[in-house]
Amino acid sequence: MHIGFIQVPARADESCIARQANRLAQASRAVTSRHQLACRNTDLKLHQEASGALNTITSYGADYVAINLQRHEGSIIVMPETPVIAWPVSSFEALTPEDFDALIAIAPEVVVFGSGTRLRFPHPRLVAKLSQQRIGVETMDFGAACRTYNILMSEGRRVAAALLIEA
């Protein structure tokens, strides 16, 4: 590994050259040591922060989502500090503007819409009233919506997740 050059003054004596070479050797050892640490594989254990006060998505699958370990097998609306709301939507194709209007009453700053197992964007007319109320809508697949909700919720954001679980 190449670290650098020794800069030696024009009238340098041997001790000056030796000091410069010693500094270069020390820098080389420090860089090598940092490189070895960076390349070392490390296993990490992640622990969920337990908070019974906030609705946290603890697991999900193709046909369910668990909020604080409670399993839901139908579409739901989740906010950090309010009870989980059953969302009467059974398929993406059946979505209506009224389905999204239910989110206006709870007044989140952003809605994370989980569109099912694959990413599908709702027609703008479906979320027009949310936009008029300055409520942002982010659309993503179901798994990404669950993860994003947890992140935004943990940051203290006023987020709602509208999670579509197709029957």
Side-chain angles (χ1 to χ4, degrees):
M1 175 185 288
H2 175 67
I3 298 298
F5 296 98
I6 299 175
Q7 294 182 355
V8 180
R11 296 186 184 175
D13 61 0
E14 286 184 28
S15 65
C16 179
I17 295 172
R19 283 192 306 273
Q20 292 290 353
N22 191 26
R23 287 185 191 136
L24 181 61
Q26 288 174 348
S28 175
R29 284 192 297 274
V31 169
T32 302
S33 175
R34 281 194 303 262
H35 177 73
Q36 289 170 343
L37 286 174
C39 294
R40 209 171 73 196
N41 289 333
T42 305
D43 293 333
L44 299 176
K45 266 189 176 177
L46 301 177
H47 297 279
Q48 179 180 339
E49 185 177 315
S51 173
L54 300 177
N55 288 328
T56 303
I57 297 174
T58 50
S59 66
Y60 61 87
D63 60 348
Y64 79 96
V65 62
I67 309 297
N68 296 337
L69 302 176
Q70 183 179 356
R71 189 177 172 115
H72 300 270
E73 295 182 352
S75 299
I76 59 171
I77 296 173
V78 184
M79 286 195 69
E81 298 175 344
T82 61
V84 176
I85 302 168
W87 196 31
V89 179
S90 59
S91 71
F92 183 82
E93 292 74 23
L95 285 169
T96 66
E98 290 76 28
D99 294 324
F100 288 96
D101 290 351
L103 294 158
I104 293 173
I106 56 177
E109 63 182 85
V110 65
V111 172
V112 177
F113 171 53
S115 64
T117 55
R118 62 188 178 92
L119 176 61
R120 297 171 286 185
F121 292 94
H123 192 279
R125 71 177 165 73
L126 296 174
V127 295
K129 287 186 183 175
L130 290 170
S131 296
Q132 291 169 358
Q133 296 294 318
R134 297 196 175 280
I135 298 172
V137 178
E138 295 294 331
T139 301
M140 48 198 77
D141 68 60
F142 187 75
C146 291
R147 294 186 300 271
T148 301
Y149 165 83
N150 277 350
I151 291 168
L152 294 174
M153 179 267 310
S154 71
E155 293 175 349
R157 303 277 302 273
R158 187 153 171 78
V159 61
L163 302 172
L164 175 63
I165 299 174
E166 297 184 282

